[in-house]
Amino acid sequence: ETDGTTMDSIVTDWCFKEQPIKLIDTCGLHKNFSYPGIRSPEFIEPGMGTKKAIRRAHVVVLCLDAVRHVKTTNNYNSCPTNFEVKLGQYVVDEGKCLVIAVNKWDLIHENDQAEYRETILNRIHEKFGIVKGVPVIFMSAKYNLNLPTLMTRSMALYKRWSARLPTSRLNTWLQAWMLRWPPPWQNGQKCNVKYVTQTRTRPPTFVLWTNSTYGEFPWTYLRQLRNAMREEFRISGVPIHFLIRSTMMPKPRKKLDKKDMLKWKRLGPKQEKVVMNLNKKRMPRPLKQID
């Protein structure tokens, strides 16, 4: 029960509402995934073990100490800290579900709880804008306050993380949404999303066929599309990955150098197929001859 005593990841088999669950308890971390209180290179392994546990997990619960921020800074605006925000973003980048648990909530005075809660929620909403709807639970492990709520939210988030959306429903909604929010123009042409389908779950990954490359497609429009998809299909709080596939093809009777060949290979499998079947003059063959 003393802070800083857990160094190895402890795995426990558990069951909640007849649902088998494997819990992984990791050590507390400070900056750069280092062990708290010790800066020696010998104690880097606990932080690396936490990274491994995050990559193995399905749902990651980021525990915040509600009292420590008030004692050290006497300011509610520092919860979560910048490193805790980076740790949460690392979880999202790995494609895992993120649940934020604010522990030791019973030690906060009742008169300050409403203000403190609003400040924390606003900071989380600001810092975790890439994943809207991250569940935030104010709990107390000592008195079992909101622990069932934490597990229920985690299981609900896991179900949304494992969901698969029908392709027909996706494209019907996408065309209607693009009429309401038209795609922007880039380099003299309209960035259009022609088709979308889900290729995998955990995390939900979607392939978008567009008339431009990934680097040319505005990332702000993709973020707006992600947030709209979360609201429409009720998958809030879940990281969503997009893979951009271009429908552009190399022009026939145009000689390609090595740089152009590498560029077209990276656009997609069909473009790579065209580039790998050049004629003697290093020009793309007609599509009928390739198929």
Side-chain angles (χ1 to χ4, degrees), residues 122-158:
N122 291 337
R123 181 170 172 83
I124 291 175
H125 178 75
E126 176 186 355
K127 296 297 182 179
F128 293 95
I130 191 173
V131 181
K132 284 193 174 182
V134 175
V136 182
I137 311 298
F138 297 87
M139 52 166 288
S140 173
K142 184 177 180 180
Y143 296 103
N144 295 332
L145 176 65
N146 288 337
L147 283 183
T149 304
L150 174 64
M151 294 305 305
T152 304
R153 292 281 186 89
S154 300
M155 294 178 63
L157 192 64
Y158 172 77

PDB file of all heavy atoms in Angstrom, residues 122-158:
ATOM      1  N   ASN A 122     -12.727  19.623 -18.149  1.00  0.00           N
ATOM      2  CA  ASN A 122     -12.376  20.583 -19.201  1.00  0.00           C
ATOM      3  C   ASN A 122     -10.956  20.359 -19.706  1.00  0.00           C
ATOM      4  O   ASN A 122     -10.693  20.450 -20.919  1.00  0.00           O
ATOM      5  CB  ASN A 122     -12.523  22.014 -18.676  1.00  0.00           C
ATOM      6  CG  ASN A 122     -13.977  22.398 -18.426  1.00  0.00           C
ATOM      7  OD1 ASN A 122     -14.891  21.818 -19.007  1.00  0.00           O
ATOM      8  ND2 ASN A 122     -14.192  23.361 -17.553  1.00  0.00           N
ATOM      9  N   ARG A 123     -10.031  20.045 -18.799  1.00  0.00           N
ATOM     10  CA  ARG A 123      -8.650  19.821 -19.219  1.00  0.00           C
ATOM     11  C   ARG A 123      -8.542  18.533 -20.040  1.00  0.00           C
ATOM     12  O   ARG A 123      -7.813  18.483 -21.038  1.00  0.00           O
ATOM     13  CB  ARG A 123      -7.740  19.763 -17.999  1.00  0.00           C
ATOM     14  CG  ARG A 123      -6.266  19.566 -18.334  1.00  0.00           C
ATOM     15  CD  ARG A 123      -5.385  19.753 -17.113  1.00  0.00           C
ATOM     16  NE  ARG A 123      -4.008  19.392 -17.373  1.00  0.00           N
ATOM     17  CZ  ARG A 123      -3.113  20.191 -17.948  1.00  0.00           C
ATOM     18  NH1 ARG A 123      -3.477  21.415 -18.319  1.00  0.00           N
ATOM     19  NH2 ARG A 123      -1.870  19.789 -18.140  1.00  0.00           N
ATOM     20  N   ILE A 124      -9.248  17.498 -19.634  1.00  0.00           N
ATOM     21  CA  ILE A 124      -9.223  16.249 -20.400  1.00  0.00           C
ATOM     22  C   ILE A 124      -9.847  16.445 -21.766  1.00  0.00           C
ATOM     23  O   ILE A 124      -9.343  15.945 -22.787  1.00  0.00           O
ATOM     24  CB  ILE A 124      -9.939  15.136 -19.605  1.00  0.00           C
ATOM     25  CG1 ILE A 124      -9.119  14.755 -18.366  1.00  0.00           C
ATOM     26  CG2 ILE A 124     -10.169  13.905 -20.474  1.00  0.00           C
ATOM     27  CD1 ILE A 124      -9.803  13.752 -17.471  1.00  0.00           C
ATOM     28  N   HIS A 125     -10.946  17.197 -21.825  1.00  0.00           N
ATOM     29  CA  HIS A 125     -11.585  17.462 -23.117  1.00  0.00           C
ATOM     30  C   HIS A 125     -10.657  18.253 -24.034  1.00  0.00           C
ATOM     31  O   HIS A 125     -10.648  18.066 -25.260  1.00  0.00           O
ATOM     32  CB  HIS A 125     -12.889  18.225 -22.892  1.00  0.00           C
ATOM     33  CG  HIS A 125     -13.610  18.582 -24.162  1.00  0.00           C
ATOM     34  ND1 HIS A 125     -14.314  17.659 -24.900  1.00  0.00           N
ATOM     35  CD2 HIS A 125     -13.715  19.768 -24.825  1.00  0.00           C
ATOM     36  CE1 HIS A 125     -14.838  18.245 -25.960  1.00  0.00           C
ATOM     37  NE2 HIS A 125     -14.487  19.525 -25.946  1.00  0.00           N
ATOM     38  N   GLU A 126      -9.843  19.140 -23.452  1.00  0.00           N
ATOM     39  CA  GLU A 126      -8.924  19.955 -24.248  1.00  0.00           C
ATOM     40  C   GLU A 126      -7.716  19.147 -24.705  1.00  0.00           C
ATOM     41  O   GLU A 126      -7.299  19.250 -25.863  1.00  0.00           O
ATOM     42  CB  GLU A 126      -8.462  21.154 -23.415  1.00  0.00           C
ATOM     43  CG  GLU A 126      -7.437  22.021 -24.101  1.00  0.00           C
ATOM     44  CD  GLU A 126      -6.913  23.114 -23.187  1.00  0.00           C
ATOM     45  OE1 GLU A 126      -7.433  23.236 -22.056  1.00  0.00           O
ATOM     46  OE2 GLU A 126      -5.989  23.837 -23.595  1.00  0.00           O
ATOM     47  N   LYS A 127      -7.140  18.333 -23.820  1.00  0.00           N
ATOM     48  CA  LYS A 127      -5.903  17.628 -24.130  1.00  0.00           C
ATOM     49  C   LYS A 127      -6.137  16.359 -24.948  1.00  0.00           C
ATOM     50  O   LYS A 127      -5.254  15.932 -25.689  1.00  0.00           O
ATOM     51  CB  LYS A 127      -5.154  17.268 -22.836  1.00  0.00           C
ATOM     52  CG  LYS A 127      -4.694  18.482 -22.038  1.00  0.00           C
ATOM     53  CD  LYS A 127      -3.691  19.317 -22.818  1.00  0.00           C
ATOM     54  CE  LYS A 127      -3.190  20.497 -22.016  1.00  0.00           C
ATOM     55  NZ  LYS A 127      -2.188  21.303 -22.768  1.00  0.00           N
ATOM     56  N   PHE A 128      -7.301  15.730 -24.795  1.00  0.00           N
ATOM     57  CA  PHE A 128      -7.591  14.497 -25.517  1.00  0.00           C
ATOM     58  C   PHE A 128      -8.632  14.752 -26.597  1.00  0.00           C
ATOM     59  O   PHE A 128      -9.598  14.001 -26.731  1.00  0.00           O
ATOM     60  CB  PHE A 128      -8.075  13.405 -24.561  1.00  0.00           C
ATOM     61  CG  PHE A 128      -7.035  12.933 -23.599  1.00  0.00           C
ATOM     62  CD1 PHE A 128      -6.954  13.474 -22.327  1.00  0.00           C
ATOM     63  CD2 PHE A 128      -6.118  11.962 -23.957  1.00  0.00           C
ATOM     64  CE1 PHE A 128      -5.994  13.045 -21.435  1.00  0.00           C
ATOM     65  CE2 PHE A 128      -5.149  11.530 -23.073  1.00  0.00           C
ATOM     66  CZ  PHE A 128      -5.085  12.084 -21.811  1.00  0.00           C
ATOM     67  N   GLY A 129      -8.418  15.816 -27.376  1.00  0.00           N
ATOM     68  CA  GLY A 129      -9.358  16.143 -28.439  1.00  0.00           C
ATOM     69  C   GLY A 129      -9.339  15.146 -29.576  1.00  0.00           C
ATOM     70  O   GLY A 129     -10.297  15.061 -30.342  1.00  0.00           O
ATOM     71  N   ILE A 130      -8.235  14.370 -29.710  1.00  0.00           N
ATOM     72  CA  ILE A 130      -8.156  13.398 -30.795  1.00  0.00           C
ATOM     73  C   ILE A 130      -9.115  12.236 -30.595  1.00  0.00           C
ATOM     74  O   ILE A 130      -9.541  11.586 -31.543  1.00  0.00           O
ATOM     75  CB  ILE A 130      -6.702  12.880 -30.932  1.00  0.00           C
ATOM     76  CG1 ILE A 130      -6.540  12.069 -32.211  1.00  0.00           C
ATOM     77  CG2 ILE A 130      -6.289  12.078 -29.721  1.00  0.00           C
ATOM     78  CD1 ILE A 130      -5.110  11.670 -32.496  1.00  0.00           C
ATOM     79  N   VAL A 131      -9.494  11.964 -29.329  1.00  0.00           N
ATOM     80  CA  VAL A 131     -10.468  10.903 -29.027  1.00  0.00           C
ATOM     81  C   VAL A 131     -11.536  11.514 -28.134  1.00  0.00           C
ATOM     82  O   VAL A 131     -11.342  11.669 -26.928  1.00  0.00           O
ATOM     83  CB  VAL A 131      -9.812   9.697 -28.327  1.00  0.00           C
ATOM     84  CG1 VAL A 131     -10.856   8.625 -28.050  1.00  0.00           C
ATOM     85  CG2 VAL A 131      -8.694   9.131 -29.180  1.00  0.00           C
ATOM     86  N   LYS A 132     -12.644  11.876 -28.727  1.00  0.00           N
ATOM     87  CA  LYS A 132     -13.716  12.481 -27.952  1.00  0.00           C
ATOM     88  C   LYS A 132     -14.529  11.407 -27.229  1.00  0.00           C
ATOM     89  O   LYS A 132     -14.747  10.325 -27.754  1.00  0.00           O
ATOM     90  CB  LYS A 132     -14.640  13.295 -28.868  1.00  0.00           C
ATOM     91  CG  LYS A 132     -14.038  14.626 -29.289  1.00  0.00           C
ATOM     92  CD  LYS A 132     -15.087  15.511 -29.922  1.00  0.00           C
ATOM     93  CE  LYS A 132     -14.517  16.892 -30.210  1.00  0.00           C
ATOM     94  NZ  LYS A 132     -15.546  17.789 -30.784  1.00  0.00           N
ATOM     95  N   GLY A 133     -14.961  11.751 -26.026  1.00  0.00           N
ATOM     96  CA  GLY A 133     -15.794  10.840 -25.253  1.00  0.00           C
ATOM     97  C   GLY A 133     -15.023   9.857 -24.409  1.00  0.00           C
ATOM     98  O   GLY A 133     -15.533   8.763 -24.130  1.00  0.00           O
ATOM     99  N   VAL A 134     -13.795  10.206 -23.983  1.00  0.00           N
ATOM    100  CA  VAL A 134     -13.027   9.307 -23.111  1.00  0.00           C
ATOM    101  C   VAL A 134     -13.727   9.225 -21.755  1.00  0.00           C
ATOM    102  O   VAL A 134     -13.989  10.251 -21.124  1.00  0.00           O
ATOM    103  CB  VAL A 134     -11.583   9.816 -22.938  1.00  0.00           C
ATOM    104  CG1 VAL A 134     -10.822   8.957 -21.953  1.00  0.00           C
ATOM    105  CG2 VAL A 134     -10.877   9.843 -24.273  1.00  0.00           C
ATOM    106  N   PRO A 135     -14.056   8.020 -21.254  1.00  0.00           N
ATOM    107  CA  PRO A 135     -14.738   7.919 -19.963  1.00  0.00           C
ATOM    108  C   PRO A 135     -13.836   8.386 -18.820  1.00  0.00           C
ATOM    109  O   PRO A 135     -12.655   8.039 -18.756  1.00  0.00           O
ATOM    110  CB  PRO A 135     -15.047   6.414 -19.837  1.00  0.00           C
ATOM    111  CG  PRO A 135     -14.936   5.876 -21.226  1.00  0.00           C
ATOM    112  CD  PRO A 135     -13.914   6.712 -21.915  1.00  0.00           C
ATOM    113  N   VAL A 136     -14.396   9.182 -17.918  1.00  0.00           N
ATOM    114  CA  VAL A 136     -13.684   9.692 -16.745  1.00  0.00           C
ATOM    115  C   VAL A 136     -14.475   9.280 -15.508  1.00  0.00           C
ATOM    116  O   VAL A 136     -15.656   9.629 -15.376  1.00  0.00           O
ATOM    117  CB  VAL A 136     -13.511  11.217 -16.800  1.00  0.00           C
ATOM    118  CG1 VAL A 136     -12.721  11.708 -15.590  1.00  0.00           C
ATOM    119  CG2 VAL A 136     -12.826  11.643 -18.096  1.00  0.00           C
ATOM    120  N   ILE A 137     -13.838   8.533 -14.607  1.00  0.00           N
ATOM    121  CA  ILE A 137     -14.489   8.013 -13.410  1.00  0.00           C
ATOM    122  C   ILE A 137     -13.807   8.626 -12.189  1.00  0.00           C
ATOM    123  O   ILE A 137     -12.579   8.536 -12.047  1.00  0.00           O
ATOM    124  CB  ILE A 137     -14.411   6.473 -13.337  1.00  0.00           C
ATOM    125  CG1 ILE A 137     -14.836   5.847 -14.664  1.00  0.00           C
ATOM    126  CG2 ILE A 137     -15.269   5.955 -12.194  1.00  0.00           C
ATOM    127  CD1 ILE A 137     -16.253   6.134 -15.062  1.00  0.00           C
ATOM    128  N   PHE A 138     -14.579   9.246 -11.312  1.00  0.00           N
ATOM    129  CA  PHE A 138     -14.073   9.768 -10.048  1.00  0.00           C
ATOM    130  C   PHE A 138     -14.357   8.709  -8.976  1.00  0.00           C
ATOM    131  O   PHE A 138     -15.524   8.440  -8.660  1.00  0.00           O
ATOM    132  CB  PHE A 138     -14.741  11.098  -9.706  1.00  0.00           C
ATOM    133  CG  PHE A 138     -14.443  12.184 -10.700  1.00  0.00           C
ATOM    134  CD1 PHE A 138     -15.229  12.336 -11.838  1.00  0.00           C
ATOM    135  CD2 PHE A 138     -13.374  13.035 -10.520  1.00  0.00           C
ATOM    136  CE1 PHE A 138     -14.958  13.324 -12.770  1.00  0.00           C
ATOM    137  CE2 PHE A 138     -13.087  14.033 -11.443  1.00  0.00           C
ATOM    138  CZ  PHE A 138     -13.882  14.178 -12.571  1.00  0.00           C
ATOM    139  N   MET A 139     -13.308   8.123  -8.433  1.00  0.00           N
ATOM    140  CA  MET A 139     -13.456   6.922  -7.618  1.00  0.00           C
ATOM    141  C   MET A 139     -12.571   7.000  -6.376  1.00  0.00           C
ATOM    142  O   MET A 139     -11.742   7.913  -6.227  1.00  0.00           O
ATOM    143  CB  MET A 139     -13.070   5.691  -8.433  1.00  0.00           C
ATOM    144  CG  MET A 139     -11.717   5.794  -9.088  1.00  0.00           C
ATOM    145  SD  MET A 139     -11.078   4.254  -9.720  1.00  0.00           S
ATOM    146  CE  MET A 139     -10.661   3.402  -8.215  1.00  0.00           C
ATOM    147  N   SER A 140     -12.773   6.021  -5.513  1.00  0.00           N
ATOM    148  CA  SER A 140     -11.944   5.835  -4.332  1.00  0.00           C
ATOM    149  C   SER A 140     -11.745   4.339  -4.139  1.00  0.00           C
ATOM    150  O   SER A 140     -12.697   3.603  -3.858  1.00  0.00           O
ATOM    151  CB  SER A 140     -12.603   6.449  -3.088  1.00  0.00           C
ATOM    152  OG  SER A 140     -11.874   6.122  -1.924  1.00  0.00           O
ATOM    153  N   ALA A 141     -10.502   3.881  -4.329  1.00  0.00           N
ATOM    154  CA  ALA A 141     -10.219   2.455  -4.183  1.00  0.00           C
ATOM    155  C   ALA A 141     -10.331   2.011  -2.733  1.00  0.00           C
ATOM    156  O   ALA A 141     -10.636   0.849  -2.457  1.00  0.00           O
ATOM    157  CB  ALA A 141      -8.815   2.158  -4.712  1.00  0.00           C
ATOM    158  N   LYS A 142     -10.112   2.909  -1.791  1.00  0.00           N
ATOM    159  CA  LYS A 142     -10.153   2.552  -0.368  1.00  0.00           C
ATOM    160  C   LYS A 142     -11.567   2.221   0.088  1.00  0.00           C
ATOM    161  O   LYS A 142     -11.788   1.274   0.841  1.00  0.00           O
ATOM    162  CB  LYS A 142      -9.582   3.699   0.463  1.00  0.00           C
ATOM    163  CG  LYS A 142      -9.486   3.412   1.951  1.00  0.00           C
ATOM    164  CD  LYS A 142      -8.835   4.577   2.677  1.00  0.00           C
ATOM    165  CE  LYS A 142      -8.729   4.283   4.177  1.00  0.00           C
ATOM    166  NZ  LYS A 142      -8.093   5.418   4.905  1.00  0.00           N
ATOM    167  N   TYR A 143     -12.543   2.987  -0.392  1.00  0.00           N
ATOM    168  CA  TYR A 143     -13.940   2.801   0.033  1.00  0.00           C
ATOM    169  C   TYR A 143     -14.802   2.194  -1.068  1.00  0.00           C
ATOM    170  O   TYR A 143     -16.038   2.222  -0.967  1.00  0.00           O
ATOM    171  CB  TYR A 143     -14.535   4.140   0.470  1.00  0.00           C
ATOM    172  CG  TYR A 143     -13.855   4.732   1.677  1.00  0.00           C
ATOM    173  CD1 TYR A 143     -12.950   5.772   1.540  1.00  0.00           C
ATOM    174  CD2 TYR A 143     -14.101   4.238   2.962  1.00  0.00           C
ATOM    175  CE1 TYR A 143     -12.312   6.323   2.643  1.00  0.00           C
ATOM    176  CE2 TYR A 143     -13.468   4.779   4.063  1.00  0.00           C
ATOM    177  CZ  TYR A 143     -12.575   5.820   3.906  1.00  0.00           C
ATOM    178  OH  TYR A 143     -11.944   6.363   5.006  1.00  0.00           O
ATOM    179  N   ASN A 144     -14.184   1.658  -2.133  1.00  0.00           N
ATOM    180  CA  ASN A 144     -14.919   1.028  -3.241  1.00  0.00           C
ATOM    181  C   ASN A 144     -15.935   1.978  -3.871  1.00  0.00           C
ATOM    182  O   ASN A 144     -17.017   1.565  -4.290  1.00  0.00           O
ATOM    183  CB  ASN A 144     -15.628  -0.252  -2.777  1.00  0.00           C
ATOM    184  CG  ASN A 144     -14.645  -1.332  -2.356  1.00  0.00           C
ATOM    185  OD1 ASN A 144     -13.517  -1.366  -2.850  1.00  0.00           O
ATOM    186  ND2 ASN A 144     -15.054  -2.183  -1.443  1.00  0.00           N
ATOM    187  N   LEU A 145     -15.570   3.226  -3.966  1.00  0.00           N
ATOM    188  CA  LEU A 145     -16.462   4.223  -4.546  1.00  0.00           C
ATOM    189  C   LEU A 145     -16.350   4.192  -6.062  1.00  0.00           C
ATOM    190  O   LEU A 145     -15.260   4.393  -6.619  1.00  0.00           O
ATOM    191  CB  LEU A 145     -16.108   5.619  -4.006  1.00  0.00           C
ATOM    192  CG  LEU A 145     -16.895   6.797  -4.591  1.00  0.00           C
ATOM    193  CD1 LEU A 145     -18.377   6.692  -4.221  1.00  0.00           C
ATOM    194  CD2 LEU A 145     -16.307   8.123  -4.113  1.00  0.00           C
ATOM    195  N   ASN A 146     -17.471   3.904  -6.727  1.00  0.00           N
ATOM    196  CA  ASN A 146     -17.570   3.894  -8.197  1.00  0.00           C
ATOM    197  C   ASN A 146     -16.691   2.836  -8.858  1.00  0.00           C
ATOM    198  O   ASN A 146     -16.417   2.939 -10.062  1.00  0.00           O
ATOM    199  CB  ASN A 146     -17.218   5.267  -8.780  1.00  0.00           C
ATOM    200  CG  ASN A 146     -18.296   6.300  -8.511  1.00  0.00           C
ATOM    201  OD1 ASN A 146     -19.460   5.965  -8.277  1.00  0.00           O
ATOM    202  ND2 ASN A 146     -17.916   7.562  -8.534  1.00  0.00           N
ATOM    203  N   LEU A 147     -16.263   1.825  -8.139  1.00  0.00           N
ATOM    204  CA  LEU A 147     -15.504   0.738  -8.770  1.00  0.00           C
ATOM    205  C   LEU A 147     -16.366  -0.073  -9.737  1.00  0.00           C
ATOM    206  O   LEU A 147     -15.905  -0.417 -10.828  1.00  0.00           O
ATOM    207  CB  LEU A 147     -14.898  -0.163  -7.695  1.00  0.00           C
ATOM    208  CG  LEU A 147     -13.661   0.388  -6.984  1.00  0.00           C
ATOM    209  CD1 LEU A 147     -13.122  -0.630  -5.985  1.00  0.00           C
ATOM    210  CD2 LEU A 147     -12.570   0.755  -7.981  1.00  0.00           C
ATOM    211  N   PRO A 148     -17.625  -0.426  -9.362  1.00  0.00           N
ATOM    212  CA  PRO A 148     -18.470  -1.114 -10.369  1.00  0.00           C
ATOM    213  C   PRO A 148     -18.707  -0.263 -11.617  1.00  0.00           C
ATOM    214  O   PRO A 148     -18.782  -0.791 -12.732  1.00  0.00           O
ATOM    215  CB  PRO A 148     -19.781  -1.384  -9.610  1.00  0.00           C
ATOM    216  CG  PRO A 148     -19.384  -1.377  -8.167  1.00  0.00           C
ATOM    217  CD  PRO A 148     -18.298  -0.364  -8.049  1.00  0.00           C
ATOM    218  N   THR A 149     -18.824   1.054 -11.440  1.00  0.00           N
ATOM    219  CA  THR A 149     -18.996   1.934 -12.597  1.00  0.00           C
ATOM    220  C   THR A 149     -17.770   1.897 -13.498  1.00  0.00           C
ATOM    221  O   THR A 149     -17.886   1.910 -14.735  1.00  0.00           O
ATOM    222  CB  THR A 149     -19.251   3.373 -12.124  1.00  0.00           C
ATOM    223  OG1 THR A 149     -20.371   3.384 -11.243  1.00  0.00           O
ATOM    224  CG2 THR A 149     -19.526   4.290 -13.302  1.00  0.00           C
ATOM    225  N   LEU A 150     -16.593   1.833 -12.889  1.00  0.00           N
ATOM    226  CA  LEU A 150     -15.362   1.750 -13.674  1.00  0.00           C
ATOM    227  C   LEU A 150     -15.334   0.489 -14.527  1.00  0.00           C
ATOM    228  O   LEU A 150     -14.989   0.542 -15.718  1.00  0.00           O
ATOM    229  CB  LEU A 150     -14.156   1.785 -12.730  1.00  0.00           C
ATOM    230  CG  LEU A 150     -12.784   1.559 -13.363  1.00  0.00           C
ATOM    231  CD1 LEU A 150     -12.454   2.670 -14.344  1.00  0.00           C
ATOM    232  CD2 LEU A 150     -11.706   1.464 -12.287  1.00  0.00           C
ATOM    233  N   MET A 151     -15.699  -0.642 -13.954  1.00  0.00           N
ATOM    234  CA  MET A 151     -15.676  -1.894 -14.705  1.00  0.00           C
ATOM    235  C   MET A 151     -16.765  -1.914 -15.778  1.00  0.00           C
ATOM    236  O   MET A 151     -16.548  -2.411 -16.892  1.00  0.00           O
ATOM    237  CB  MET A 151     -15.854  -3.068 -13.752  1.00  0.00           C
ATOM    238  CG  MET A 151     -14.703  -3.255 -12.776  1.00  0.00           C
ATOM    239  SD  MET A 151     -13.107  -3.392 -13.613  1.00  0.00           S
ATOM    240  CE  MET A 151     -13.415  -4.732 -14.739  1.00  0.00           C
ATOM    241  N   THR A 152     -17.938  -1.370 -15.461  1.00  0.00           N
ATOM    242  CA  THR A 152     -19.023  -1.342 -16.449  1.00  0.00           C
ATOM    243  C   THR A 152     -18.658  -0.470 -17.648  1.00  0.00           C
ATOM    244  O   THR A 152     -18.882  -0.853 -18.808  1.00  0.00           O
ATOM    245  CB  THR A 152     -20.311  -0.829 -15.793  1.00  0.00           C
ATOM    246  OG1 THR A 152     -20.628  -1.653 -14.664  1.00  0.00           O
ATOM    247  CG2 THR A 152     -21.464  -0.860 -16.779  1.00  0.00           C
ATOM    248  N   ARG A 153     -18.069   0.689 -17.380  1.00  0.00           N
ATOM    249  CA  ARG A 153     -17.649   1.566 -18.467  1.00  0.00           C
ATOM    250  C   ARG A 153     -16.549   0.908 -19.301  1.00  0.00           C
ATOM    251  O   ARG A 153     -16.524   1.041 -20.537  1.00  0.00           O
ATOM    252  CB  ARG A 153     -17.139   2.883 -17.893  1.00  0.00           C
ATOM    253  CG  ARG A 153     -18.203   3.749 -17.240  1.00  0.00           C
ATOM    254  CD  ARG A 153     -19.014   4.502 -18.283  1.00  0.00           C
ATOM    255  NE  ARG A 153     -19.936   5.429 -17.657  1.00  0.00           N
ATOM    256  CZ  ARG A 153     -19.636   6.690 -17.352  1.00  0.00           C
ATOM    257  NH1 ARG A 153     -18.424   7.151 -17.637  1.00  0.00           N
ATOM    258  NH2 ARG A 153     -20.521   7.470 -16.797  1.00  0.00           N
ATOM    259  N   SER A 154     -15.639   0.202 -18.642  1.00  0.00           N
ATOM    260  CA  SER A 154     -14.548  -0.455 -19.368  1.00  0.00           C
ATOM    261  C   SER A 154     -15.082  -1.550 -20.279  1.00  0.00           C
ATOM    262  O   SER A 154     -14.637  -1.683 -21.432  1.00  0.00           O
ATOM    263  CB  SER A 154     -13.534  -1.036 -18.376  1.00  0.00           C
ATOM    264  OG  SER A 154     -12.977  -0.023 -17.557  1.00  0.00           O
ATOM    265  N   MET A 155     -16.037  -2.344 -19.796  1.00  0.00           N
ATOM    266  CA  MET A 155     -16.601  -3.405 -20.622  1.00  0.00           C
ATOM    267  C   MET A 155     -17.418  -2.845 -21.780  1.00  0.00           C
ATOM    268  O   MET A 155     -17.384  -3.381 -22.901  1.00  0.00           O
ATOM    269  CB  MET A 155     -17.455  -4.328 -19.751  1.00  0.00           C
ATOM    270  CG  MET A 155     -16.662  -5.108 -18.712  1.00  0.00           C
ATOM    271  SD  MET A 155     -17.698  -6.145 -17.652  1.00  0.00           S
ATOM    272  CE  MET A 155     -18.389  -7.269 -18.856  1.00  0.00           C
ATOM    273  N   ALA A 156     -18.145  -1.753 -21.543  1.00  0.00           N
ATOM    274  CA  ALA A 156     -18.904  -1.129 -22.625  1.00  0.00           C
ATOM    275  C   ALA A 156     -17.965  -0.561 -23.684  1.00  0.00           C
ATOM    276  O   ALA A 156     -18.220  -0.662 -24.892  1.00  0.00           O
ATOM    277  CB  ALA A 156     -19.802  -0.032 -22.061  1.00  0.00           C
ATOM    278  N   LEU A 157     -16.860   0.024 -23.239  1.00  0.00           N
ATOM    279  CA  LEU A 157     -15.887   0.557 -24.185  1.00  0.00           C
ATOM    280  C   LEU A 157     -15.224  -0.554 -24.985  1.00  0.00           C
ATOM    281  O   LEU A 157     -14.939  -0.392 -26.169  1.00  0.00           O
ATOM    282  CB  LEU A 157     -14.829   1.361 -23.422  1.00  0.00           C
ATOM    283  CG  LEU A 157     -13.893   2.240 -24.254  1.00  0.00           C
ATOM    284  CD1 LEU A 157     -14.682   3.333 -24.964  1.00  0.00           C
ATOM    285  CD2 LEU A 157     -12.819   2.859 -23.374  1.00  0.00           C
ATOM    286  N   TYR A 158     -14.992  -1.698 -24.351  1.00  0.00           N
ATOM    287  CA  TYR A 158     -14.398  -2.838 -25.057  1.00  0.00           C
ATOM    288  C   TYR A 158     -15.336  -3.363 -26.145  1.00  0.00           C
ATOM    289  O   TYR A 158     -14.885  -3.732 -27.239  1.00  0.00           O
ATOM    290  CB  TYR A 158     -14.080  -3.948 -24.056  1.00  0.00           C
ATOM    291  CG  TYR A 158     -13.633  -5.240 -24.695  1.00  0.00           C
ATOM    292  CD1 TYR A 158     -12.344  -5.374 -25.202  1.00  0.00           C
ATOM    293  CD2 TYR A 158     -14.502  -6.327 -24.801  1.00  0.00           C
ATOM    294  CE1 TYR A 158     -11.927  -6.551 -25.790  1.00  0.00           C
ATOM    295  CE2 TYR A 158     -14.096  -7.509 -25.389  1.00  0.00           C
ATOM    296  CZ  TYR A 158     -12.806  -7.613 -25.887  1.00  0.00           C
ATOM    297  OH  TYR A 158     -12.407  -8.783 -26.482  1.00  0.00           O
TER     298      TYR A 158
END
